[in-house]
Amino acid sequence: MEIRHLRCFMALAEELHFARAAAKLHIEQSPLSRTIKELEEELGAQLFIRNTRSTRLTRAGLMLMEHAPRVFASLQQARDCVKAAKNGFHGQLRVALSDGATLLCLPALLALCREEEPEVEIRFFEVPLSQQIKGLHDDLYDVGFAQSDDVGDGIVALPAWTDTLMVALPARHPLLALKRIPLDELLRYPLVLSDPQVCEGHAKHIERVLSRAEMQPLVAERVTTFDLMMALVSAGFALGLTGAAHIAASREPGVVARPLSTRVPPLTTYLLRLEGDPFDELARFIQRVQAIELPEFLRSTKSRNPDLPEELMP
């Protein structure tokens, strides 16, 4: 099996049309057909069922389509490692990010890494939590961050930092008359929440919090970024529910933060890695993560967002 076989297979698997796949690969249909036939003979299995009207994947083809992207990911990582070595790096850490959980702490963490170990290249991959877990098992990533410790067997979830759950409101809203907002009052208004497909850990945490109320939430929108959530809140489209740091870091001036009146668990960002002793670069990276404290970030952003309640500041 050669890389060209897999490239042709993936193009046809995605298009399910020989002419479109051939155009995508910038080749004629006949060499594409020969390459697919070579691959099927090599594997001893039919990958596509094709007739004059359609082309579809067989069960064997579906299995190959699940594994083939990891081959290309590994190949790309090998290329990146060679390029990093050429540019003077002597090691690499592959870090997966899920739930938008770590971006607020990355500047301080990266500055510490560059100061203490500048010869180690750090590469980041923004992926959903399920993809991160799979990638850790498949050696596509060395470590990851997510707002969930429900990661299954074989993976260690270490608490990295926590963040207070807050309500994000537009600058003019009736609930601003309250210093702390009851859940039942919050649920009288439409909400904009994170997309569970993209921010799985964050969304599950919010779902558990909202389930404490008797009312069902009215979800006006599901968003994939917290910047969009803050923009919709600022426009008065709906209320948001997320970490204090996300609200404090928002570039939207028309957003005000209020705590819930009910005591709820904080949003916790976990560092995820495979079980076993970490290699040296990863062990030192974990030590640096544990040295980064989110309350320091909140203290630094207090001046940019004076609406963050004083009782939440350390």
Side-chain angles (χ1 to χ4, degrees):
M1 186 189 304
E2 301 176 14
I3 294 298
R4 66 182 180 89
H5 290 124
L6 286 180
R7 286 201 177 99
C8 289
F9 167 79
M10 286 302 297
L12 184 55
E14 290 168 357
E15 298 294 334
L16 293 178
H17 190 280
F18 272 83
R20 290 197 299 267
K24 186 175 185 179
L25 294 165
H26 305 290
I27 62 175
E28 298 295 329
Q29 289 189 51
S30 56
L32 172 60
S33 298
R34 285 197 302 271
T35 303
I36 296 299
K37 184 177 180 180
E38 289 173 5
L39 181 58
E40 290 178 327
E41 290 175 351
E42 169 70 21
L43 295 174
Q46 185 179 1
L47 301 174
F48 296 94
I49 297 174
R50 43 202 181 266
N51 54 43
T52 55
R53 291 182 299 175
S54 67
T55 299
R56 60 187 177 90
L57 285 159
T58 63
R59 184 174 181 83
L62 289 169
M63 293 297 293
L64 182 58
M65 191 175 183
E66 180 181 344
H67 290 278
R70 295 204 294 275
V71 175
F72 291 110
S74 296
L75 179 62
Q76 185 60 49
Q77 288 185 6
R79 287 173 174 159
D80 292 340
C81 285
V82 171
K83 188 181 296 183
K86 178 183 175 182
N87 293 333
F89 292 106
H90 301 297
Q92 186 182 78
L93 278 173
R94 301 162 299 171
V95 183
L97 306 176
S98 303
D99 298 329
T102 60
L103 300 180
L104 299 168
C105 297
L106 279 182
L109 177 59
L110 285 177
L112 192 57
C113 290
R114 287 176 63 91
E115 177 184 346
E116 296 184 353
E117 211 164 7
E119 71 277 8
V120 175
E121 183 189 34
I122 301 178
R123 300 191 63 235
F124 293 96
F125 306 84
E126 291 187 88
V127 295
L129 177 58
S130 58
Q131 187 175 332
Q132 177 182 156
I133 293 171
K134 188 173 181 58
L136 287 169
H137 283 294
D138 291 341
D139 193 32
L140 294 181
Y141 316 123
D142 301 306
V143 65
F145 294 95
Q147 290 184 335
S148 176
D149 59 351
D150 183 15
V151 291
D153 297 333
I155 293 180
V156 177
L158 303 174
W161 47 74
T162 61
D163 192 8
T164 305
L165 190 63
M166 302 280 284
V167 180
L169 305 100
R172 295 184 178 182
H173 195 276
L175 288 182
L176 289 176
L178 304 174
K179 289 186 176 180
R180 294 180 176 273
I181 300 176
L183 269 179
D184 288 341
E185 287 295 316
L186 173 67
L187 295 184
R188 291 175 52 206
Y189 299 90
L191 301 177
V192 53
L193 302 177
S194 56
D195 186 336
Q197 298 297 319
V198 177
C199 302
E200 181 180 338
H202 184 280
K204 284 184 177 179
H205 184 89
I206 300 301
E207 183 180 331
R208 286 192 293 268
V209 169
L210 295 180
S211 67
R212 298 183 175 196
E214 294 182 0
M215 297 174 60
Q216 290 295 317
L218 173 60
V219 180
E221 191 65 64
R222 296 277 188 179
V223 296
T224 58
T225 68
F226 294 103
D227 283 345
L228 179 54
M229 179 186 290
M230 294 301 105
L232 293 176
V233 170
S234 178
F237 183 77
L239 308 185
L241 194 58
T242 186
H246 281 130
I247 302 174
S250 171
R251 294 185 292 272
E252 295 292 340
V255 176
V256 182
R258 285 288 188 270
L260 290 165
S261 62
T262 306
R263 184 177 294 274
V264 297
L267 281 164
T268 301
T269 296
Y270 295 90
L271 180 147
L272 309 182
R273 66 172 180 85
L274 287 180
E275 289 180 345
D277 295 331
F279 55 91
D280 292 344
E281 290 87 352
L282 179 55
R284 291 190 291 270
F285 180 80
I286 293 172
Q287 291 175 355
R288 295 185 196 108
V289 169
Q290 293 172 336
I292 302 297
E293 298 180 4
L294 187 61
E296 294 179 0
F297 175 83
L298 284 177
R299 192 180 295 113
S300 70
T301 57
K302 174 64 176 174
S303 61
R304 297 205 303 271
N305 192 338
D307 295 308
L308 193 64
E310 282 295 335
E311 62 267 28
L312 295 179
M313 305 302 296

